[in-house]
Amino acid sequence: MTPVSAVQGKAVTTLEGLPAWYAANKRLVKAPALHPVQQAMIDEQAVQCGYCFNGMIVKASELLSKSRGRTKRKSVPR
């Protein structure tokens, strides 16, 4: 965990702000209702407890934004 004092004066993105953060990074005119990672979690019914789930979505979104297409997509059997 990060103490609040460590982020004083810095931008902090929460789960609720994730679609706006995505829109700003992608230079979209309008923010989507959900970030693609949020939508993927819903579509794939990837449910976890409410305590850690928000952090997992925000962190996954950050990691994907830094990868800039360098990830390999793997098929997962259903």
Side-chain angles (χ1 to χ4, degrees), residues 18 37 53-66:
L18 208 51
V37 172
F53 198 50
N54 297 343
M56 292 188 320
I57 292 174
V58 171
K59 190 62 176 179
S61 302
E62 177 198 14
L63 291 172
L64 288 171
S65 74
K66 290 180 177 180

Side-chain angles (χ1 to χ4, degrees), residues 35-68:
H35 184 281
V37 172
Q38 290 173 298
Q39 189 61 56
M41 293 289 197
I42 292 168
D43 294 346
E44 298 301 323
Q45 300 176 2
V47 180
Q48 295 290 324
C49 74
Y51 186 75
C52 61
F53 198 50
N54 297 343
M56 292 188 320
I57 292 174
V58 171
K59 190 62 176 179
S61 302
E62 177 198 14
L63 291 172
L64 288 171
S65 74
K66 290 180 177 180
S67 71
R68 299 183 188 199

Side-chain angles (χ1 to χ4, degrees), residues 7 9 12 30 37 66:
V7 295
V12 176
K30 183 179 177 190
V37 172
K66 290 180 177 180

